[in-house]
Amino acid sequence: FTFLAQLLDPIRFFSILIITFFSKKKWIILVSAIFGSIFTETFLSMSQITRVWGSGLPFGLLASFLHAIICYIIVKKIRRDKSFS
């Protein structure tokens, strides 16, 4: 259930999408997954008093990696379509 909740998290997705726009290289997938996961974990820990930082990190990294792959494909398609215009 935790993984599904993190996979559907829009804050995580949009933070990774923004990071993915910075590079055309494939290494951005790993970088955006790590930074997006750390950002989201920190944001959620700050906003929820009972949450302990790092408690959702293992599933968060996996969800962030899947988001990063999806975002990379979206950004690649946007850039390709824009170059044809």
Side-chain angles (χ1 to χ4, degrees), residues 27-82:
W27 57 263
I28 198 69
I29 294 172
L30 183 61
V31 171
S32 63
I34 292 170
F35 281 124
S37 184
I38 290 172
F39 168 76
T40 306
E41 187 68 25
T42 303
F43 179 76
L44 291 175
S45 294
M46 288 179 1
S47 63
Q48 298 173 2
I49 303 221
T50 59
R51 185 179 178 94
V52 176
W53 193 93
S55 62
L57 208 52
F59 287 124
L61 280 170
L62 184 57
S64 292
F65 186 67
L66 292 174
H67 282 161
I69 292 171
I70 293 168
C71 290
Y72 180 79
I73 292 169
I74 291 170
V75 169
K76 190 174 177 181
K77 180 155 178 53
I78 289 171
R79 286 185 176 146
R80 185 178 52 195
D81 290 346
K82 200 174 193 179

Side-chain angles (χ1 to χ4, degrees), residues 20-28 72 75-76 79:
T20 307
F21 270 107
F22 287 114
S23 179
K24 295 180 181 180
K25 307 283 185 194
K26 286 189 178 182
W27 57 263
I28 198 69
Y72 180 79
V75 169
K76 190 174 177 181
R79 286 185 176 146

